[in-house]
Amino acid sequence: MKFLRICTLALSFVTLGNACADEVTWSFPSPEEYSKHLTELCKPESSSAIYIAGLRDQGFKKDQVASSLPQGSPDRLRLSHVVKENLDDLFAYPEIDIITYYAFRGKECVREKAEGKAIIKFSSIATAALACQKEFGSANRVKLANCIRALME
């Protein structure tokens, strides 16, 4: 019986050794994969901004829009905070269009999640963002987005 236990133990070490020989190697994702995953991670924040701005632009009042939003746990989830920030910002600055705010929210998410940088409040760049919007308009989205991003550096 003792011999059987020793054989079983020896066999398990051989099996473990073979499993270790097939170790999975880890590598960083390609820039394309990383960008794709970051886009997915930031999509809810940016999408909520588009939704809120769309309702605002259709004439809905802030309290009407707020009541249509899912009620999360604001003290626990960053997304709940962001949705509230989007609501507050977009109604505090009704002249800011969807594309301008979307550029801000997208860059802010990347700054926070990928770069680990401190959060920028929209109010700190609102006047300059409006100037970018007036200069480039929503027709030139790339230049508008670059202008907004430059404000956040």
Side-chain angles (χ1 to χ4, degrees), residues 12-25:
S12 66
F13 281 124
V14 169
T15 305
L16 180 62
N18 289 340
C20 290
D22 296 331
E23 283 185 40
V24 175
T25 56

Side-chain angles (χ1 to χ4, degrees), residues 25-99:
T25 56
W26 294 93
S27 65
F28 289 104
S30 70
E32 294 80 20
E33 289 176 55
Y34 184 75
S35 177
K36 178 183 171 191
H37 292 295
L38 189 58
T39 299
E40 287 300 313
L41 184 63
C42 292
K43 190 181 284 185
E45 295 182 11
S46 300
S47 295
S48 74
I50 291 171
Y51 175 76
I52 292 167
L55 291 176
R56 177 201 66 186
D57 294 349
Q58 290 176 36
F60 286 86
K61 303 292 181 209
K62 183 178 178 181
D63 59 334
Q64 292 173 305
V65 176
S67 67
S68 75
L69 299 173
Q71 301 304 312
S73 172
D75 58 332
R76 303 216 175 199
L77 298 175
R78 175 68 184 134
L79 180 57
S80 295
H81 286 285
V82 170
V83 170
K84 173 96 171 72
E85 289 170 12
N86 290 347
L87 179 69
D88 292 342
D89 290 344
L90 286 162
F91 278 91
Y93 302 97
E95 66 279 9
I96 294 293
D97 69 24
I98 293 174
I99 300 302

